[in-house]
Amino acid sequence: MSEVKLAADVRSSFGKGAARSIRRENKVPGVIYGHGTEPVHVTLPGHELLLALRTPNVLLSLDIDGKTELAIPKAVQRDAIKGYLVHVDLLLVKKGEKVTVEVGVLTEGDLAPGSFLVENVLNTLSVEAEATHIPTSVTVSIEGLEAGAAIHAKDIELPAGTTLATDPDAVVIQILAAQAEEPAAETEAAEGAEA
């Protein structure tokens, strides 16, 4: 779990015009909320925030008017065409507090010999972890699996201190037999014979 320090400035101007003005300065408008506090509207450095958000479930240490707050990204809005950050919602967290987040599922290993396909039914798992120890992903071994095999959420080994929030019986990965297509010439000949 990585922790990234960012300086956040409290903002008092709102609306589309103010947000556009903030983005022209290579900054990102955002809001911080949680723990029953009033939402705080802030401006964050654009490039540093973009780099921080490359790490899934990054923990942000925000310096707001000389006070340090911990937060995790809750919702990130990007421009659909250019991909730049438009707005970010941050959730306040405290050390020792449990939060529910989505973590990516990665596979490792080789399947048994043969023509098999790996279907990722779920690309992420919902887990509960301490805010300062959120895993970035979980790894699942598919070593030696054959067609018909399935890995359920309850079968995945989670890091210490992390508990599963997804349905334990949910299928995460399943192994399928590859379907061979009939050659086009044989199919046409068979159709012609039937006619």
Side-chain angles (χ1 to χ4, degrees):
M1 177 82 207
S2 60
E3 184 175 324
V4 178
K5 295 184 180 193
L6 294 176
D9 300 321
V10 177
R11 63 185 168 103
S12 55
S13 55
F14 308 103
K16 285 185 181 179
R20 286 185 186 132
S21 174
I22 289 168
R23 286 191 285 273
R24 274 195 297 271
E25 296 172 12
N26 194 23
K27 294 185 177 182
V28 179
V31 63
I32 303 169
Y33 56 88
H35 293 144
T37 61
E38 286 292 318
V40 178
H41 297 272
V42 294
T43 302
L44 300 157
H47 184 68
E48 291 87 344
L49 181 61
L50 185 66
L51 293 176
L53 292 176
R54 288 185 176 172
T55 303
N57 298 317
V58 66
L59 182 65
L60 300 173
S61 177
L62 303 172
D63 180 15
I64 308 169
D65 291 338
K67 185 179 175 187
T68 302
E69 296 280 5
L70 293 176
I72 57 172
K74 196 64 177 169
V76 178
Q77 296 173 6
R78 297 177 186 269
D79 181 84
I81 297 171
K82 296 184 180 176
Y84 62 83
L85 296 174
V86 174
H87 189 273
V88 64
D89 287 5
L90 302 172
L91 179 65
L92 286 174
V93 294
K94 292 185 177 164
K95 291 185 186 223
E97 175 185 7
K98 293 267 191 178
V99 292
T100 302
V101 294
E102 297 287 321
V103 295
V105 177
L106 306 176
T107 57
E108 67 178 7
D110 297 321
L111 296 172
S115 297
F116 303 122
L117 299 173
V118 177
E119 180 184 9
N120 284 44
V121 179
L122 295 177
N123 292 318
T124 61
L125 279 181
S126 185
V127 298
E128 188 177 79
E130 187 181 326
T132 55
H133 293 92
I134 299 172
T136 55
S137 63
V138 292
T139 304
V140 179
S141 174
I142 57 170
E143 188 69 38
L145 295 180
E146 295 183 357
I151 298 174
H152 296 85
K154 64 185 174 191
D155 301 329
I156 297 175
E157 188 175 328
L158 298 174
T162 304
T163 57
L164 188 64
T166 301
D167 176 15
D169 293 322
V171 174
V172 180
I173 295 171
Q174 62 184 7
I175 310 302
L176 307 171
Q179 300 283 324
E181 290 187 23
E182 293 182 28
E186 290 179 18
T187 306
E188 290 171 7
E191 288 174 1
E194 289 175 7

